[in-house]
Amino acid sequence: YLVGAITVKRDSASIVSEATYARPYSKNDSSFGNPGAPVTVAIFSDLSCKQCESIVNEVHAFVARHPRDVRMVWFDAPKSSLLFDRALPHKAARCALAQDAFWQYVDQIFAVSGNYKRDFLDNTARSLKLNMDTWSTCIALKSTQETVDANGALLDSFRISTVPAIFINNKYITLAKGL
């Protein structure tokens, strides 16, 4: 499936890591596609990252074309910023997940620069007809922040500092080499 759909630029170095990065998946993960698929694409992404948006959209479209064979799993990886809380849109998306609107929410957040502003996040939730009381309470929960932090810490534990970070069946794919 993947061989014909992805063009790999050949050079002396492989874009697929030798190491296996164990990541236990759970029913609480934001995923798209068949949970029992033979291929799992895990993406660590920052909602303020345009390259992340591009990669997530490409993989999402690929999974939509191969829904039985491929599953995409999203992991939060907001990068630090002194200027704004880059974790806030991730918490907002997690709370949209709790109301079965994760991918619609992510699509709208990715589409607008400056998506870290609370007013925009609130308006996005309203446009998707989320229960605003439930959604707002969820954002304020310590457990929501802990989930976002845990995903970022997992990527850090792999000693990978850039996003998007893509893993296919627990093998890291080096994007710097180009697909």
Side-chain angles (χ1 to χ4, degrees):
Y1 303 104
L2 295 176
V3 175
I6 297 176
T7 302
V8 178
K9 294 178 182 174
R10 302 280 180 203
D11 65 9
S12 60
S14 174
I15 65 166
V16 180
S17 70
E18 296 279 332
T20 298
Y21 294 84
R23 168 57 174 112
Y25 299 106
S26 79
K27 64 179 177 155
N28 297 327
D29 292 330
S30 315
S31 68
F32 178 71
N34 176 6
V39 176
T40 298
V41 179
I43 300 179
F44 287 79
S45 182
D46 183 341
L47 286 166
S48 299
C49 163
K50 285 299 177 186
Q51 184 183 15
C52 296
E53 175 186 7
S54 176
I55 295 291
V56 167
N57 287 340
E58 287 180 37
V59 173
H60 196 274
F62 183 82
V63 173
R65 289 190 308 273
H66 305 280
R68 287 183 287 182
D69 304 313
V70 186
R71 173 186 183 206
M72 177 172 73
V73 183
W74 165 283
F75 296 99
D76 307 288
K79 294 295 153 191
S80 299
S81 172
L82 296 175
L83 302 177
F84 56 88
D85 179 6
R86 287 176 88 162
L88 183 59
H90 289 267
K91 293 189 296 186
R94 291 249 152 230
C95 296
L97 171 66
Q99 296 187 46
D100 297 322
F102 178 82
W103 294 108
Q104 300 92 322
Y105 198 89
V106 165
D107 286 345
Q108 289 192 32
I109 291 176
F110 267 146
V112 178
S113 182
N115 60 29
Y116 51 86
K117 295 177 182 168
R118 181 62 191 251
D119 289 346
F120 171 71
L121 301 174
D122 289 346
N123 289 337
T124 300
R126 278 189 204 91
S127 75
L128 294 173
K129 301 188 181 350
L130 299 183
N131 178 311
M132 292 304 292
D133 290 336
T134 302
W135 183 79
S136 295
T137 299
C138 176
I139 288 177
L141 292 173
K142 184 178 178 184
S143 61
T144 305
Q145 180 70 50
E146 288 170 346
T147 298
V148 171
D149 291 345
N151 284 334
L154 179 63
L155 186 61
D156 290 344
S157 76
F158 295 156
R159 300 189 187 283
I160 297 171
S161 60
T162 59
V163 292
I166 300 174
F167 298 80
I168 298 178
N169 288 348
N170 294 323
K171 295 285 189 177
Y172 177 60
I173 305 302
T174 306
L175 293 178
K177 304 240 186 272
L179 290 178

